[in-house]
Amino acid sequence: MTSQTPDSLAPQPAQPPAPVPGSWRDLFSRPHLPVVTVLAAGVGLYAMNLYFTAALLPTVVADIGGSQYFAWAATAYLIAAVVATMLVGRLLAGVGPARMYGVAFGVFALGTGMSAISPMMELFVGGRAVQGFGAGLLTGLGYAAIRGTLPPVLWTRATGLISAMFGVGALLGPVLGGGFAQLGQWRIGFAVLAVVALALIPVAWRALPRAVPSRAGTGPVPVLPIITLAAAAAALSVSAMLDGALVWGAAAFGFALLGLFLWLDARHANGVLPRLAYLRGNPLKWVYLTVAALSAGVMVENFIPLFAQRIGGVSPLGAGLIGAALSLGWVGAQLFSVNATGAAIRRLVRGAPWLLVAGLVGYGLLQVTEPGPGIIVMWALLLGLAGVGIGLAFPHLSVAALSSGGSDAEGGKAAAAVSTTQLIAYTVTSAIAGNLLALGADDLGSARWLILGIAALTLLGIPTAAAATRRAP
């Protein structure tokens, strides 16, 4: 039996009208609330932990030393998370949602506990790698498990909620991490995260199906493509730590490995990305590329507090609030966007990258010496606009991937690949950001290079969004 795949995100005239999406009240009703809680909490733990740890790291290094491994605390986490998301589809098809979430929360708690008790930075980085693997499983499951645990009319709102958790994590992570850092209690901070993860295991066991939906996705693991992608992520991350010609050599090697991954994966019978992503004329690849472009824009958020303090003279608290503007725009826009149906979805997805680019370019051009209060307010507004661009499109791109597979296994694999794409984009953009920062002669120059450089990357989302929403001939 041949499965039919939507040719675009636009409504298909030959098919009956799509059902009206369920309401937020339906999503949070008694039958679905436990499921939604587990899915959202898993992604929230992943997203919050990124910023939580960034706020704690200076305190960690001051306590146990190992400043030379500072960057690897994030690199190990991201690389392990990338690898984990690539395994989600087949693992979910093999053991079912309840067991898979139990494993994911358990691995996350184990890595977090390792970091909490680390007497040296080397063990801390090892714990971060284990934690990242668990976090990668959680963020991949957040999308992949929707298909088998919620009715189709709730997919758009569920994916909107799941992707909004990235913004929520960006809001809560720095606040909680900064609070534990202020108290000098970084170990307790990690211990609390571990306890939360462990507490969610019985919740997931009770809320989620224990049956195995299908064995269709449990074929051979694409070991060579996974190793190649992990090596590409490592090379790109390392490039930001080098100097001179070595920077460009490592970056070029990383991009070459990324291209090799796609070549190998397209030829693997059971690759990381769905086969549909490599078929000529199928829009799934444009969906993933649009996700990557939007995700690249998110990475500006990591540097906003730094620029606000050094260039604008803003207090740490004020700088944190400015940094939260992008996440607020993202979350707010998604609450609006998930109500869209039919042709409105096509317009939102096509317009979203334009808003992201406009917000980032405006923010970059307004990086000036001694900015007044009016300029600083404009920074926040423009970052909010950029966040709106992300939020308008993200839930619909996730649903397009979720709906692309003809079976639960293929649909889960396509949905999990959204997270894989996000993490790859984060890793690549982080490496590029480190190199862009080095191009500036001072803080102001570095800010302009980084912001406008990332804005140039997000420009790629304009043609890919158009291709993803192209009407069927």
Side-chain angles (χ1 to χ4, degrees):
M1 178 177 173
T2 303
S3 61
Q4 293 184 343
T5 303
D7 292 323
S8 70
L9 291 173
Q12 305 300 306
Q15 299 174 350
V20 177
S23 66
W24 288 112
R25 183 175 180 177
D26 294 332
L27 184 66
F28 294 115
S29 63
R30 184 179 297 273
H32 307 305
L33 181 59
V35 172
V36 170
T37 299
V38 173
L39 303 187
V43 175
L45 275 179
Y46 162 79
M48 186 191 70
N49 190 54
L50 282 174
Y51 302 97
F52 181 86
T53 304
L56 284 175
L57 267 179
T59 305
V60 174
V61 171
D63 186 18
I64 64 176
S67 59
Q68 68 271 31
Y69 299 111
F70 191 96
W72 278 100
T75 300
Y77 182 87
L78 283 172
I79 291 175
V82 168
V83 173
T85 60
M86 293 187 287
L87 301 175
V88 165
R90 57 183 40 82
L91 291 175
L92 182 61
V95 303
R99 292 181 181 86
M100 196 63 245
Y101 261 101
V103 170
F105 282 126
V107 173
F108 181 89
L110 174 63
T112 306
M114 287 174 60
S115 294
I117 64 174
S118 297
M120 60 185 70
M121 195 63 172
E122 292 88 341
L123 182 57
F124 181 87
V125 171
R128 286 286 287 163
V130 176
Q131 187 188 46
F133 193 86
L137 293 177
L138 289 173
T139 188
L141 284 167
Y143 292 107
I146 288 174
R147 181 167 179 142
T149 57
L150 294 171
V153 292
L154 294 177
W155 287 358
T156 299
R157 293 201 185 275
T159 54
L161 175 66
I162 296 304
S163 54
M165 294 307 295
F166 287 95
V168 173
L171 291 172
L172 293 180
V175 175
L176 296 176
F180 282 109
Q182 186 74 28
L183 296 172
Q185 299 294 336
W186 66 271
R187 294 184 189 275
I188 293 179
F190 278 101
V192 169
L193 276 186
V195 170
V196 170
L198 290 173
L200 286 167
I201 293 177
V203 178
W205 187 254
R206 289 194 299 268
L208 299 175
R210 301 177 194 179
V212 176
S214 169
R215 293 284 176 179
T218 56
V221 175
V223 175
L224 189 55
I226 289 176
I227 292 175
T228 304
L229 181 56
L236 289 169
S237 297
V238 168
S239 71
M241 309 174 197
L242 302 176
D243 297 312
L246 291 176
V247 172
W248 304 109
F253 182 59
F255 282 114
L257 286 174
L258 191 58
L260 179 60
F261 157 73
L262 293 172
W263 186 84
L264 291 170
D265 195 56
R267 284 155 182 77
H268 197 284
N270 194 31
V272 172
L273 299 178
R275 297 293 299 169
L276 294 173
Y278 298 109
L279 295 180
R280 179 174 297 181
N282 190 282
L284 188 57
K285 57 180 165 294
W286 304 118
V287 170
Y288 289 147
L289 287 171
T290 307
V291 167
L294 297 177
S295 298
V298 175
M299 297 311 292
V300 169
E301 198 167 39
N302 290 339
F303 302 90
I304 294 169
L306 176 68
F307 297 150
Q309 291 180 62
R310 292 189 177 179
I311 298 173
V314 181
S315 68
L317 177 59
L321 292 175
I322 294 172
L326 189 144
S327 293
L328 287 173
W330 180 353
V331 174
Q334 286 193 157
L335 296 177
F336 162 78
S337 178
V338 293
N339 294 309
T341 59
I345 294 176
R346 181 170 177 265
R347 291 193 292 270
L348 288 175
V349 172
R350 287 196 167 194
W354 288 97
L355 296 179
L356 175 59
V357 171
L360 292 182
V361 169
Y363 173 60
L365 294 177
L366 281 181
Q367 297 300 306
V368 296
T369 55
E370 299 182 1
I375 295 293
I376 293 174
V377 170
M378 284 301 300
W379 287 353
L381 293 176
L382 288 166
L383 288 167
L385 178 66
V388 167
I390 298 169
L392 289 180
F394 223 100
H396 303 296
L397 294 169
S398 301
V399 169
L402 183 67
S403 306
S404 65
S407 66
D408 284 343
E410 280 300 301
K413 184 176 180 179
V418 172
S419 294
T420 304
T421 302
Q422 280 183 271
L423 291 174
I424 293 172
Y426 289 163
T427 304
V428 171
T429 308
S430 292
I432 293 173
N435 296 325
L436 289 171
L437 280 173
L439 295 176
D442 53 19
D443 289 336
L444 183 61
S446 294
R448 287 175 175 168
W449 270 106
L450 183 137
I451 298 164
L452 295 177
I454 291 181
L457 290 178
T458 62
L459 271 171
L460 299 174
I462 294 175
T464 60
T469 57
R470 188 172 295 126
R471 294 183 183 278

